[in-house]
Every structure is written in structure tokens, then in C-alpha cells.
Amino acid sequence: MTTILSPQALPSLPVINHENTAPYTNGVVQQELPERTSRLAHSESSGELLTMARTNGNQAEFSALARSQTSVEPSGASARRANATVGFVDEQVNESGASDRPNNQLLRANTDISLKRRSSSAGRAASEENWEMRHGWEDQYNSSEYLGLLSSAFYMYYTDKRHETGGRPKDEDHSRPPIEWRMKERLKTVSAALAICLNIGVDPPDVVRTNPSSKLECWLDPTASTAANSKVMEQIGKKLNEQYETLSIRVRYKLYLDPSVDETRKFCTSLRRNAKDERVLFHYNGHGVPLPTSSGEIWVFNRNYTQYIPVPLYDLQLWLGAPSLYVYDCSHAGNIIANFDKFVQKHEAENAEAKAQDPNAQLQQYTDNIQLAACGKSESLPTNPDLPADLFTCCLTTPIEISLRFFVLQNQLPTDLTIKDVMKVPGKLQERRSPLGELNWIFTAVTDTIAWNTLPRDIFRRLFRQDLMVAALFRNFLLSQRIMRCYGCHPTSVPLMPDTHDHPMWESWDLAMEMVLAQLPQLRAAEDGGMQYEYLHSNFFAEQLTAFEVYLNQGAPGQVAPAQLPIVLQVLLSQVHRLRALILLSRFLDLGPWAVNLALLIGIFPYVCKLLQSAAHELKPVMIFIWARILAVDSSGQSDLIKDNAYQYFLNILNPATALPVGNSSEHRAMSAFIIAVFCRNFHQARVVCLQSEDLMKTLIHHLKDPENPLLRQWSCLLISMLWTDYPEAKWKGIKESAHQRLCEMALDPVPEVRAAALHALSSFIGIPDITDMVRQHEESIASAVLPTTADGNAMVRRELLVFFSTFVVRYQNRFLVAAHEQLVEERDNLVNPDAAASSNGHQAGSSTRPDEESISAPVSQDSVQRSVWKHILVMSVDAHAEIAQDASTIVEYVHEALLQSPLGAQTRPIVEELSRLLNRTAAPSRQPSAAPISRTSQSSALTAPRQLQRTESYLAAGMRRTASVAAALKNLAIGGATTPDSVNGTNRSAALNSPQQQRFARARVPAEWNRPPDEKDHATASVAYGSAKIPTTRGFQARDSAEVQLPLKSGFFDWAIEYFREPQMRPNEGDEPGSDDYNARLWRRVRNEKTLAMTQPLKGVAGTSRWDVPNGFFNNGSQASKMCFHQFEDHLAIADDRDNICIWNWQQGNRLNRFSNANPPGTRINETRFINEDDQALLMTGSSDGIVRIFRNYESEKKIEVVTAFRALSDIVPSNKNAGLVLDWQQGQGKLLVAGDVKVIRVWNAATEICTNDIPARSGSCITSLTSDQVAGNVFVGGYGDGAIRVFDQRLRPQQAMIKCWRDHKQWITNVHMQRGGLRELLSGSRNGEIKLWDIRKDTPLNTIRATKDTLRTLAVHEHAPVFATGTERHNINLFNVNGAFLNTLQPYASFLHGTRSSPIAATAFHPHRMMLACAAKESNHVNLFTCKA
């Protein structure tokens, strides 16, 4: 349901927040509102009052928040309270521009579409239209406040997520495939060999040095020292070791200074032997040896340093193996990389040969290698004296120092800083608040961001998230690309890195360095004891977070990965920016699973795990939100939560005593319950540690009582379910706390999701290993408590109930076999001798003995819970919802198969065979068009012979063919009584209306036909057969293979509920964003609706004085029209025939858009059709005489039509195509469905909660033939009866006192009673004898009586706004009158020359709600005529 209340129009009421894709549309029960606002609502087309107001005119219905009864408003996270959801400041949303939108924007709550009305013109309507309305309702229309509220409220129903998805999780085949973000093999570098070949003082023969030339090695000048060359080499080696330790201190480094060939072989083989299967690092500095050869050989020395000895790549690979990391700092280093793979392939070929000879041979791996080279194949290292000789090594190991030096060389600074000065930036690399540490922090963020935006995701993960050493070297390698390129060198790598020297992020890096260098003189002076100076920190991270926020405010167009995501991770390390970064990160994760996968891929998980150890109070709301989004997409974090007791973070928040710094703390507790539920799912260790918390069960039971947040109630139920799954100790603890009893109460919760969650938990409760008397008592009491849920209006709840039933059946299978056997015996006995069964008042036959035998033993299962559950399962096996019927049929098949294979099978098979013979004998009459349905006994027996049916015609198919006999006997089944064939026969029902018992309630001495429907004696027409049209199904429905019968049934509710946390909650839907396709389409429909109102409302003035005889359309429906209904704004006309077919016509173009079957069983018909949610995308509601209400989506499309929901609105109605059947009235504003008919109650269904909220006694033994209600407040409704009485009811009163007036002026069957939605709200009634009466509910007598015809009155139609009504007679005439009784004209619909006569009765008439148009059809004709008023 959607509820939109404008804050401007309703300042005294709390603003209802709206969310998209939330399953809790109707979750929070509102407090009673003041009477002055309780009558508020939205006009369905509200006629004259809202014509000038330009409301959308939704069916002239005004929704009311009843002052004496609770209504339900949407709840859960919303777009407007996004920041509050995670504890943000409101400014976050304001910056996104959401608050700058115009007030009259189109809004959508949950999955519903809604239009926010303008209220400015409502006052003009009140001033221009100022008449006196009927029933004393004019005062409320003269209230400017009321009209303002009226024009700003709008409601949509049956469009929530549970209806869009059918309560099923999304198909994984169509969803984004999961991303493997965890490293399966997390390698790390454990050892490193640093080989430095300098041979100080001796230049290689192929190297020509410039003068001056670069000299520095590891920032040391070898020529400046007077010490021995060996000492200088040691200093250089030690310095290189220190530089590498800044990258990773855990690696074992070994220096090899001017090594020989033998030393090289020894340390390489030792390196691999010690590292085992981990990665090793080989750093080679070849500045003092010849250049690498064209075949890739590197050079070392002989033992006496008299010769240069080449080391082939083949040998080097053999010694080091793989995985290895190579760093080549020498000229022509590209030759090494160019030849490397050639020798790897040679090694692999040798391995293959060895493997072929000995499959068990232990072989060295050679394929996993990473290489970094200083330059290309023919490039030489730079010799600039201002640069170090080992420039490549400096870039890799000291990036900050070389970056500052490079910056000074490339840029003219306004200060007197020299190259040496920039090397003295104060601080330490590990201290992020120091200048040097901040530069290092920024550099890491910049290089990570460059890599994230340039590398493929798999390469990024391998190089930057697998190994700390590899990640550090490749970050610095990006710097080497930038610096060395300026000096004619192009560093290369394997894997190949794209060129990133011109990435925009380098400009941010330059700016950060410049800000530090600008403060360097003051910092140095303060360090030397001069004036105190406080370092001004860089605003790099704040600016990058702002850029990230701009990205989020734009709505992440195209789901493009944000460039700043790696920077956000770096900011999490800072306490200064951490809260803001987490808030922005939560907004990003809220975008959907794709955003969560990106965050996990970038490496967010270790950060959020670490933050669970933080005691910061302000971080709790946002951490809850982030973890909920992560676990909703990837539940593999279960094992991480159990480490260091991280799960306690969320258990503590679940405790009601824990305070949270947000207003909506209950919603954050719901998220915590969700996190713990996912933590416990399929993870026994998690259940054990959670149950160790003594207060957890008590806490969850406490949250079940939360009246405000259904999300918390739902996830408390599901958490209990996860704790109970396969964990008996948790179940016993639940018994101790009476948790199962509380869950039974939750099965009647107003929110369908909560009811389903409670049933899910109760299903998990069943199955304590030892079935003691106590255990059986608890489980049977649960089964008894949930039996009323079979009448739930929500299919998702009924599906969960069947999961519970299937678990219960498997648990007590033997008892169910006995109950099923005795049910078969009872069915057989009822078919053999129905009179005896009736006379015994539903006697239960417990054995194979016949009723006429002397001894009748009592059934073993009589009065048992299993017997009741089994009967309810049988009832649900012919449920109107195909999925429910299929699941129930699976249970029935399972039990019957087990019964035939059990020891009772020998006694059961003869009964089954006899039932089959009786079924074939009694089923023959049902083939006649007007025959009544077969008995419940025959129907139930058909499902007991699975062996005699083909597997493709399982119980479901048979059950559908068996029509509605079980549905007819629902009440009898519930109380265990028997039903005879006569008791469900339609013709006998008609006779029963005049039985002596019924005559006591009817008025005495009236002809019998007066209290019978006018069409009772009509002959059956040669109409289209039942089931000849396509039968729509629910979205995603798949017929189950009957060969796969497995119990218990599997529930998909938990997976479906998880999807709530995968969907955006912080931003409005696309349809709410101006400029989007959905928004434009909605806006177009709104303009069209207002045009329709503006065009049609002026015509009602002449409609009451003009003739209605202008033909406007004529088409052949293909079947006999029985009920017709116009859409308010679309050019759609829905026509239902006298069976189960519905045709949708475009009356403007005269073409049929769709034809489908309502799926009501043979012997029944469609009694009512209604369009709901007509302001936007309407749904089609139908009611049939078997008591079923169905709602269809995309009804105008043959390919897209779907069943939104189907439920049994009347459970004890007698299926028939005669009598009143089912009559209903839909209140769009209130979201209520009034249902009555051949029953003694008027049932009120709440569309928001999908449960029956009220059973109002009909106060008569006669059937109710029609219902109409006040569409403004929705409190008053009127019913017409078969005995001619008209009763007025007020829903605000107690059911027994709801009838406030009864008129008995009519003496015969009420053909129709109708209250206008607009106009003067006229209330008219018409009886079978042709009398039309005009009423005011304040008066005891009619205001006017009009004799419309002397013939039998077949139909009565009243225009919603114009003072006109039409009557259809038995002699093919349609007479039109105005409400004053003035005759306007007579019409005669077209009748086929061959197939009809001019005397055939009128079958159906219907006015367009706004246009001056009348549709009519006659009996024995398939044609429909349209007439308009002569303006």
C-alpha cells in the first residue's frame, strides 16, 4: 500500500516517510487521530468538488483514517530519512539536492507509485461548488483544511514488493554473478635476496659514464667516502635493506654484495628452500657489471673478481623457481623480460616430460612470476647528476624522497629550498599526522586510486590486495613510470602495467607536496628551536570525500565505479574523517549489490572488521548499516564475526538497554537481528556462541512486542528461527521462555511479512529429537494455533504455513496416514449413502464398515490435531493461488503415496478403487453447462488415487478439474462435518431459500419468486467453455514435476527477506526522479487524468436533461456479457461473461486487447469486476461465486498478464452460478474490500494487512445481493438483500451494533443499490419489480420512488457524478431517468438477427465513471453496445 500525505497540507499529523522496495508498507499501526482529520482521504474522482482542484480524481473515493479504528502506514527505511537510518546528519541529504525539488513532485512509497496532489485549488472547488449533499456530508466538503488534505493524499494497494515478486527471491540466473573477492591462495613474500653488483671503482667495459654523472646508490655517494670499498658496499647494502623494510618489515632480507656465480646459485637455491611455496624476492642491481645480453643473461663475478660471469635465465629460474618477484635495476633490463617466458616454457616442457615418466614426481613450479624492470631493451639508465644512480630502486623503495626531489627539479619554487633541503621533511612515515607521514598516506591513496581506475579488476586484486610487498612495489612502480619517463626510460613489468604518467591524480599528489614544501622553512625553523609553528594538514582527503559525495548525489550513473573508492578506505584509518567516510561508504553500499561487490573487491572487509573493536558510540549506527549491506550480499563473513567475539558488537545493540545515537533505534536493532540471523544461518558454531548469551532469547521475545517497527518483529522471528534450526538446546530454551507461544500470537500480526516470519520460526521449532509427551503437546498446540492462518489473504503467509504443515506431517507421519485413511473411508461412505451421512449430522466413519451396518466404530484420529491439519491441507490443495495449491497437493500426494505403501495400503487400495468408480459415476452431470459442482467427497477421493493418474496429471491437475466442491465445504471441513452432494447443489440451494427454516427469517406470505434473483429461470446459453482461455499465473510460477515429491517443503522466505537489505533505501526510486522514464510516464498519466476530469465534469449538467441515444461503439465480445466495468482514465472496458472468461476491450478503437480465464471452477461465475489503483497503473480485481477474489496485473496484455494475488474472501459460500454469489465493494481510499453474498456476514478485508479485520453480521437470513459504500470516509456502507430489505452499517461501531438503519420499503429482490462517488452522493436502490427509490441515510423513508418499469428489473446502473441512472428490463429495454424521476429515453441494444430476439432480457449495463457513456448487453447475444449523451 502507498500512503502519501503532504507535510504542507497536514502540519498537525506526523509525516509518513516513504521508501522504495521496502516490504513493510503496512507495518506500523497509527495512533488514533483527531476527528477533524480522521475523515481525510483522497478522491477517486470526487466529482464536482475536485474538478477545479485538478486532483487526479482517483475513483471519487476519499480515503479516511477512521477515528475509532487503527489504520496502517508505511514503515521502514525511506528515501527521506536515509541519513537517520545510519545516523547521519540531515545535511547529507540536503547537499544531494533532494530538498530542492518542487513540492508537487511525484512520490512513491515502497514499491508503490503515488502522485502528490496540489492543494492550492481545493479551496476554489469549495467556493465554486456549494450545494447541499445527501446524508449530511456537505460540511466536510466545505472545510478548506479537509479539502487540502483530500487533494494531497493518495493510496495504492497490492503493489508492494511481496506482490511484485510473489514472495519469491529473485532468480539468481538473472542477477549479477557474485564476485570472488577473497583470495583463495593468499601468497606473501617471505624472503628476499638483495644482490648488488657495483664493483666500486671499476666501470664495466660496455658502459660509458658522462661527466658529471649520477653517483648516489641508496642515497649514498660511493666516491665521497675514504673508507674501503668493502665498507662502502656494506653501507649501501644496509641502506637498501632499510629501504625495503619500510615496505614490509616481516620479510627476511639477505644481502649479497658483488656475488660470484657460486654464491648466486647457493643463495638462490637456499632462498627457495626456505620459502617453500611462498613468494621470494630477487633484487638485482647491475650498475657495476656489463649490460644484460640479448638473450637475457645477467652478469656477476668470478671468485677473484677478475672476470664477469653471465648467469643464464634458465639457471636463475631453476634456482629460484616460482612464485618469485624479480626487480632488475640496470640498463637494457627489457632484454631480461623479453626472454624470460621462453625459458619458463622450456622448464614447463621438461616438467611435462618428467610427469609423463613418473606421475608422482615432485616438480618445481615456474609459472607464477612477477617482474619489474627499470627500462626497455635498448634504454640506458639516466645519468643526470641531480638524480641517484639507482633511480629505479629509489622510486620503488623511497617514493616520497624521490618525488620531492623530482618536484623541485621540475618546478621553480618561490622559496630558497634546495634539493638537499627537501630531503629533510620532518616526521616519520608511520605517523600520519606528521608532514612526512601524511605525504606517505596521501601517496598510498593516490597510487591505489590510479591502479583501481586503470587496471582490470583481477589484475588489481592480484597485485594490490594479495601481497603487501607486491602491492607496495607496484604502487611505487607507478611513480617510476612518471619520473623515469622524463629521462628517456620506460619501466616495464610483468604483468604489463598501462601507462599512467598522465593520470589526473598525479596533480593532486603534486599539490600535496607543494603544500608541504611551502611550510617546510617554518617547520625546519620550529624544529631548530625557533618560533612555534603548527603544521597545516592537507585537505586532500576532505576534498576527495567531497568528490565522492558528488558522485553519490548524482546517483552513480551507469553503475560506474567511483574513482575515489580506494581513498575512502584510506580515510577510514583516520579518526578525523572516519565518521564522514563511513557515512558516505554506507550511502554507496546502499546503491545495491554491485556497489557492495566493488567495496569488497577494493578491500573494505578488513577495515570494517577492525572497526568492530572500536568503542566509539557514534560509529555504531553506521557500522550496523554497513554490515547489514555486506552480509546481505555475501554471507561468507560468518567466520570473521566469530573471531575476537565480533558478533558481540551486534548482540549488545540488540539489547534494549543499549542506547543508540539515532532516533530510529528500533530499525538499527532490526538490522542487528538480521546480521545475527545471517551469522547463525547454516553455522552451528554461531548458534552455540549466540545461545551462550543468557538474555538473547528474552531480548528477542521483547522485540516481538515492538508495536512500531515490523522490520524488528520480522527479523526477531527469523533470528529465533535460525537459532532453532537443528539445535535442540535452543528450542528447549525457547520453551522455557514461552517463545513458541509468542510466535503463535505473531502469526496474527497485521504485517504479512511478520506473519510469514513467525511461521518460518515455528517450522524450525518442530523436530526436537525425543518426542516426549511434553514435546508432542507443545508441537500439537502450535499446529492448532496456526490453523486459522489457512484463511490468510496473503499467499506468502499461506506458503509458509504449508512449509510448517509439511514439517508437521513428516514429524507425525504415521498419525497422518491414519487420518488420511479415515478421511478416505468417510468420503466413500458419504458418496455411497449421502442421506445417512446427512442424518448422522456429520458422523465420522472410522473404519471400512458401512454406515448401515450395525456397528460403527469411532475414528482413531477423531478430534486429533492431525485430523484437523489434514483437512486444512486438503482445502488448501484447491487454493485459488496456483503455487499454494501446488504445494498443498505435494503434501497430499506424499501422504497418499506413503499410505499406499504402508501396512494400511492393503485396506486402502479397495477404497481407492471404489472411490474412483463412484467419482466417474457422479462426475458425468458436471459436464453439463449449468450443472452444480460435484461433492467434496468425490473431490477428495480423486486425489487419493495417484496410481490411477498419469504423473503429468498429478493431484494438482485433478484438483483443478474437480472444481469447487472442497471450496464449497470449507466450513464443514473446518468443523469436521460431512457435506452431501445435495448440500452443494446450486439448484437445491435456491430451493433451500424457501425451506421452512429459512421462512422464519423471511417476511411471511410473499410469493417465493420475489426473493429469488431475476435471472434464476434463464436458460443456459451456449457460451464459451470453462478454461478455454489462457489462465494467468503468478510471476515466476513453475509447475513442479510430480515425480519429485519431497517433504518437508523448502521455504524461500529467508532469502526473499534478505533482499530488503540489498535494495536501495536511502534514495528515491527512479520513478521519483524528475526526468526519468518512470517519472515522465507518471506525470503524463497525471496530466491525462486531469484533462479527463476537466473535459467530462461540465457535461454532467446536461446529462440529466438530455437523451442518451447516440451510438458510440459496437463490438462482438465472443461470449455472453454478464458484468462490465469501465476504467476511469484508460480506454479500457472489462467484460466478464457468465462463466470464467474476461475480455479487455479498447472501447475507443473497438478492438479486443486481451482475453483470459478467471480460473473459477465449472458451475460458478464471475460476480464482480473492479479496477483499482486507477490513477496510475491499474489492477483488475474480480470476485467469483465460489468466494474467491483475484487481482491481475497487466490485464490488458496477453503476454504480460499476471496474478498479483488470489484468496478466499468468503470461506463458507456455496459455489453456484445462481443466487447472489459473491458481491463486493472496493474502497480505494481506505484500502478495504467489503465482501458479502450467500452468507450471513459482511466481511471486511484490509488490503494493507491482507487479513479479514471485521465480520459484521448481515442481520438477515436472506442473501446480500449488492453492496455500496461511502467512498470518502469509508465508514458507512449499504447492503441490499434478497428479501427486499436495505440495511445501513457503520464500521466504526462494534460488529453486533454496526447496523444503524433498516429500510423495508422494497418488497422484492434488490437488483442493485448504489451510492454515487461524486455529485450529490445520491443513494439509489432498485428491486426486482421495477421500483427505484432514492434515500438519505438520515431519514426513515425514501426521498422519492420511481416506477422505472412494469417488467422485471434486470439491471440498475447509476452514473458516479451525473444525476442519471439506467434500468435494464426483461423485454430488451434500457430506460434512462434522472434522479428526480424524469424519463429521458429508452434504448434497445443490438440483437443478432439469427441468434437473438428483440425480447431478450438485458444482461448488463454500466456507466463510465466520468464520461457520459453507457455500455449495455442483452441475453442470448455476445454483442456490447455503447451509447453517449447528446450534449
Side-chain angles (χ1 to χ4, degrees), residues 1021-1043:
T1021 58
S1023 185
V1024 180
Y1026 283 95
S1028 59
K1030 173 186 175 181
I1031 299 179
T1033 59
T1034 55
R1035 180 173 297 178
F1037 171 74
Q1038 293 181 351
R1040 183 184 292 115
D1041 186 358
S1042 58

Side-chain angles (χ1 to χ4, degrees), residues 301-307:
F301 305 94
N302 64 355
R303 180 170 299 182
N304 298 324
Y305 296 98
T306 58
Q307 291 182 339

Side-chain angles (χ1 to χ4, degrees), residues 987-1004:
T987 56
N988 290 345
R989 168 68 177 175
S990 300
L993 290 175
N994 292 306
S995 64
Q997 183 179 4
Q998 294 294 330
Q999 287 289 351
R1000 290 183 299 170
F1001 301 99
R1003 282 173 287 177

Side-chain angles (χ1 to χ4, degrees), residues 1113-1379:
F1114 171 80
F1115 43 84
N1116 188 342
N1117 187 57
S1119 60
Q1120 171 67 61
S1122 177
K1123 296 291 180 180
M1124 297 187 293
C1125 181
F1126 280 99
H1127 191 291
Q1128 288 192 71
F1129 305 110
E1130 299 284 355
D1131 297 333
H1132 294 166
L1133 173 62
I1135 303 176
D1137 66 12
D1138 54 354
R1139 296 204 172 185
D1140 68 333
N1141 298 293
I1142 299 175
C1143 294
I1144 307 298
W1145 286 83
N1146 184 317
W1147 56 263
Q1148 192 78 265
Q1149 300 177 3
N1151 62 312
R1152 191 174 70 186
L1153 303 177
N1154 191 15
R1155 176 176 176 265
F1156 59 94
S1157 171
N1158 189 57
N1160 49 287
T1164 64
R1165 65 177 179 178
I1166 303 171
N1167 290 119
E1168 301 282 0
T1169 58
R1170 294 285 193 280
F1171 288 107
I1172 67 175
N1173 303 340
E1174 292 178 90
D1175 272 22
D1176 200 79
Q1177 294 176 318
L1179 306 176
L1180 179 65
M1181 174 186 289
T1182 65
S1184 51
S1185 60
D1186 58 348
I1188 300 296
V1189 171
R1190 293 175 176 85
I1191 300 176
F1192 300 92
R1193 179 193 300 115
N1194 302 323
Y1195 57 85
E1196 76 282 4
S1197 172
E1198 292 184 6
K1199 297 181 179 179
K1200 298 181 180 180
I1201 185 171
E1202 297 171 340
V1203 175
V1204 177
T1205 187
F1207 61 97
R1208 192 173 299 280
L1210 293 178
S1211 57
D1212 48 359
I1213 194 172
V1214 177
S1216 173
N1217 57 3
K1218 300 293 183 181
N1219 304 323
L1222 177 146
V1223 296
L1224 61 83
D1225 190 50
W1226 166 250
Q1227 297 178 340
Q1228 179 71 37
Q1230 280 266 320
K1232 291 182 179 179
L1233 179 66
L1234 308 177
V1235 186
D1238 293 326
V1239 290
K1240 296 183 179 180
V1241 295
I1242 302 169
R1243 187 154 291 170
V1244 181
W1245 287 86
N1246 190 314
T1249 61
E1250 298 187 67
I1251 56 177
C1252 176
T1253 58
N1254 213 354
D1255 272 352
I1256 300 176
R1259 303 289 292 272
S1260 173
S1262 179
C1263 62
I1264 299 176
T1265 62
S1266 61
L1267 283 174
T1268 187
S1269 64
D1270 165 30
Q1271 296 289 345
V1272 181
N1275 298 318
V1276 176
F1277 67 90
V1278 182
Y1281 289 74
D1283 60 359
I1286 297 176
R1287 290 177 172 84
V1288 183
F1289 298 86
D1290 192 331
Q1291 298 184 59
R1292 293 168 293 186
L1293 302 177
R1294 296 173 54 187
Q1296 299 298 330
Q1297 302 171 351
M1299 192 188 78
I1300 58 177
K1301 192 171 292 292
C1302 179
W1303 296 308
R1304 298 183 180 274
D1305 296 73
H1306 288 291
K1307 305 302 181 183
Q1308 298 190 25
W1309 178 283
I1310 299 299
T1311 302
N1312 191 18
V1313 57
H1314 187 85
M1315 180 182 292
Q1316 286 184 316
R1317 296 172 178 173
L1320 295 180
R1321 311 302 306 283
E1322 301 285 9
L1323 175 61
L1324 289 90
S1325 63
S1327 60
R1328 172 182 171 138
N1329 62 357
E1331 285 187 351
I1332 308 297
K1333 295 184 182 293
L1334 186 67
W1335 305 92
D1336 189 308
I1337 63 172
R1338 297 169 295 179
K1339 300 183 181 299
D1340 296 330
T1341 58
L1343 301 177
N1344 192 11
T1345 300
I1346 305 168
R1347 186 69 179 182
T1349 179
K1350 295 181 180 180
D1351 300 321
T1352 300
L1353 182 68
R1354 287 302 190 105
T1355 66
L1356 170 63
V1358 183
H1359 199 282
E1360 297 292 356
H1361 300 95
V1364 177
F1365 65 89
T1367 60
T1369 69
E1370 201 165 39
R1371 297 185 181 274
H1372 203 71
N1373 293 326
I1374 298 176
N1375 301 322
L1376 287 101
F1377 300 82
N1378 63 25
V1379 294

Side-chain angles (χ1 to χ4, degrees), residues 287-303:
H287 297 170
V289 294
L291 302 176
T293 65
S294 58
S295 60
E297 296 170 317
I298 61 174
W299 297 88
V300 291
F301 305 94
N302 64 355
R303 180 170 299 182

Side-chain angles (χ1 to χ4, degrees), residues 31-180:
Q31 301 297 324
E32 293 186 2
L33 302 178
E35 182 176 356
R36 66 186 182 88
T37 60
S38 67
R39 290 182 175 269
L40 150 82
H42 161 235
S43 150
E44 187 177 30
S45 56
S46 58
E48 297 79 1
L49 287 176
L50 296 183
T51 301
M52 302 304 296
R54 292 293 189 270
T55 65
N56 66 352
N58 181 38
Q59 307 130 327
E61 298 176 1
F62 301 91
S63 59
L65 302 175
R67 85 180 94 140
S68 61
Q69 80 187 94
T70 58
S71 61
V72 181
E73 69 177 15
S75 65
S78 72
R80 297 298 181 269
R81 64 160 186 215
N83 292 341
T85 304
V86 291
F88 317 176
V89 185
D90 290 339
E91 284 80 359
Q92 298 291 336
V93 170
N94 294 335
E95 292 176 8
S96 68
S99 61
D100 296 330
R101 297 192 183 99
N103 289 334
N104 59 350
Q105 62 177 310
L106 297 177
L107 298 178
R108 174 176 175 175
N110 302 322
T111 55
D112 306 335
I113 301 171
S114 57
L115 306 177
K116 187 175 180 182
R117 308 301 192 269
R118 299 174 182 170
S119 58
S120 59
S121 57
R124 297 198 303 269
S127 61
E128 295 179 10
E129 306 289 350
N130 198 16
W131 340 293
E132 179 182 355
M133 291 192 176
R134 299 293 185 199
H135 323 298
W137 290 339
E138 64 275 2
D139 292 341
Q140 56 184 313
Y141 296 109
N142 294 328
S143 168
S144 59
E145 179 185 13
Y146 178 84
L147 290 175
L149 299 177
L150 184 68
S151 62
S152 60
F154 178 55
Y155 299 79
M156 298 281 285
Y157 300 93
Y158 297 107
T159 54
D160 291 326
K161 180 191 171 185
R162 62 178 179 267
H163 303 115
E164 297 286 345
T165 62
R168 290 181 171 273
K170 293 180 181 177
D171 188 358
E172 295 296 332
D173 296 337
H174 299 291
S175 62
R176 183 182 293 269
I179 294 178
E180 183 57 44

Side-chain angles (χ1 to χ4, degrees), residues 190-196 237-238 240-242 244-245 251-257 259 263 266-268 270-271 274 281-284:
V190 295
S191 301
L194 307 179
I196 305 175
K238 183 179 180 180
L240 180 61
N241 190 96
E242 292 174 355
Y244 263 106
E245 284 181 345
V251 178
R252 298 187 299 270
Y253 299 99
K254 187 69 174 177
L255 290 171
Y256 297 96
L257 308 176
E263 290 174 341
K266 289 180 181 178
F267 73 68
C268 287
S270 174
L271 200 67
N274 295 331
L281 167 64
F282 177 74
H283 177 95
Y284 174 71

